[in-house]
Amino acid sequence: MTQGPGPGQQQSRRPGWAWAAVACGCLALLLVAAGGGTLAFVLGTRPDRDASPSTSTSAGSSSSTSTSSSESKPPETAPAFKVITPLDEVSLNEDGLRQVMETNPLTEGTLPAGDACELPTPTKKLSGDQLEEFLNTGSGCLASVWGEASSQRSLPWDTLDVVVYDWPHVPTSECRKDSFEKDYPRVCNLDGKIYWPSDYGASFDAKHPGDLAPLLLWDLAFVQQNTLMWQSSVGLYYQHLEDAIGDDAEKKDDASRRYLLQNACMASAAVMQLPEGSRPSTDLQQRRAERQNRDPDQKPSIQESTVDAWTATGAESDGDLSACNTWKAESSQVE
């Protein structure tokens, strides 16, 4: 596959439902959409659904494989995972690629506890410079989780710098100017930066001034999943899977939902591995998922209850990545 839009290429789409579903108000949840079949989650692509896993148990705890996976009868032994680049050829068929997604190194093991974080605790909206300083500090905090986790799995990791800018004054970068969006950060893995619109992210709530810092960190964790998927090459395997699926819209939507929900779960798990003073409180998690905090005009393609369930699963996983393995979940759990 050539250097097409991928998690870090010309595509930093954001599924719109993501924010509405998992975050309060204008928060945008996730990140890393790769390939043309992405849902309407955070990166401006697509997602939604119905029967969802219980938030009291692991959403990905079911040992059942998806209907499409079981019908396609994947090989008994999963293909060996290796880090690839956009220029590498991948000879695996659809079944083999599904097996890679089910068994890649980010579907098992435990995330390490993050280092102590000296994050500021702003009580009012941050200026551009203040926001940039906060986000880069937060990026370092999250990197203490994903950097160590990647090293343990022999996967590359390089922390991207955050650059805050005022829309529509798009900074010069290696990524195309027309790939930037007013209402979502542009993750440009080509030049190692996350370009963050100054008006994007958590809104200051006078009723809960202490929420601003953890909400910004939570936003950043979702956006940073783009980097994780790109550098680990899991996102590239996902693109190859979409290509292998071809024009089967039902299969493509199922794969997109699994990919996005897994990212939401993993981002939530990573945030909760940070020290207590940095991660979102239980009260904040509950308030963030309250329906009254959602945008009633959002049209998700993944049910809000499903997003909530997987996000809660990540938060309650104690860093267990197998809990976030959506590729082994039943279809009803990712609708």
Side-chain angles (χ1 to χ4, degrees):
M1 187 170 68
T2 59
Q3 239 176 335
Q9 254 302 69
Q10 293 305 330
Q11 168 152 15
S12 179
R13 315 191 321 258
R14 87 169 123 85
W17 59 267
W19 280 163
V22 207
C24 51
C26 62
L27 289 186
L29 213 207
L30 188 122
L31 37 50
V32 168
T38 337
L39 304 173
F41 190 75
V42 133
L43 268 72
T45 346
R46 13 169 258 262
D48 259 327
R49 76 314 122 202
D50 184 2
S52 63
S54 167
T55 57
S56 62
T57 59
S58 168
S61 59
S62 171
S63 59
S64 302
T65 56
S66 68
T67 301
S68 58
S69 295
S70 59
E71 290 178 349
S72 60
K73 297 180 181 180
E76 294 183 5
T77 302
F81 178 91
K82 65 177 182 178
V83 175
I84 59 175
T85 75
L87 299 179
D88 291 332
E89 292 186 5
V90 175
S91 60
L92 298 174
N93 60 16
E94 180 184 340
D95 294 340
L97 289 164
R98 285 185 180 277
Q99 284 287 291
V100 169
M101 298 305 294
E102 289 181 12
T103 62
N104 75 75
L106 294 175
T107 61
E108 58 185 15
T110 303
L111 291 176
D115 296 338
C117 263
E118 296 297 329
L119 274 173
T121 54
T123 56
K124 61 181 180 180
K125 181 177 174 63
L126 298 174
S127 68
D129 289 343
Q130 291 172 330
L131 179 59
E132 185 170 289
E133 180 180 2
F134 178 92
L135 292 172
N136 277 296
T137 301
S139 182
C141 296
L142 291 166
S144 68
V145 176
W146 284 121
E148 178 64 22
S150 296
S151 176
Q152 292 171 355
R153 293 162 177 76
S154 299
L155 299 174
W157 174 264
D158 186 24
T159 306
L160 272 60
D161 293 330
V162 182
V163 176
V164 173
Y165 73 97
D166 295 323
W167 179 271
H169 305 294
V170 174
T172 300
S173 77
E174 294 296 323
C175 290
R176 291 200 322 258
K177 185 175 182 178
D178 62 3
S179 67
F180 285 68
E181 297 180 81
K182 177 181 180 179
D183 57 352
Y184 196 73
R186 178 62 170 99
V187 181
C188 186
N189 292 298
L190 297 178
D191 62 12
K193 290 182 173 59
I194 298 173
Y195 296 95
W196 193 284
S198 58
D199 289 334
Y200 173 78
S203 300
F204 175 69
D205 182 354
K207 294 182 179 179
H208 304 283
D211 288 355
L212 184 57
L215 282 176
L216 282 170
L217 193 63
W218 211 343
D219 284 345
L220 180 61
F222 284 118
V223 173
Q224 202 176 56
Q225 283 292 119
N226 189 302
T227 301
L228 178 68
M229 292 295 100
W230 173 257
Q231 294 186 9
S232 67
S233 71
V234 171
L236 295 176
Y237 279 105
Y238 169 71
Q239 286 187 300
H240 282 290
L241 173 60
E242 280 204 325
D243 291 343
I245 290 173
D247 297 329
D248 191 321
E250 185 175 351
K251 280 187 176 183
K252 188 164 287 189
D253 284 351
D254 176 80
S256 295
R257 289 194 294 268
R258 292 177 189 277
Y259 182 70
L260 292 171
L261 288 168
Q262 183 171 45
N263 274 287
C265 182
M266 291 168 62
S268 187
V271 167
M272 297 307 292
Q273 289 302 99
L274 297 178
E276 185 174 356
S278 302
R279 62 177 182 258
S281 65
T282 300
D283 176 64
L284 174 56
Q285 294 175 57
Q286 293 174 345
R287 283 188 282 108
R288 186 177 186 180
E290 290 175 357
R291 188 166 299 276
Q292 59 264 34
N293 285 331
R294 304 177 191 275
D295 182 348
D297 295 326
Q298 290 289 344
K299 306 295 182 184
S301 59
I302 297 180
Q303 298 179 60
E304 291 175 353
S305 57
T306 299
V307 181
D308 289 345
W310 284 101
T311 302
T313 291
E316 298 167 5
S317 68
D318 290 326
D320 179 7
L321 288 177
S322 66
C324 292
N325 193 343
T326 57
W327 297 94
K328 290 187 177 181
E330 296 180 2
S331 296
S332 62
Q333 294 179 303
V334 294
E335 294 178 339

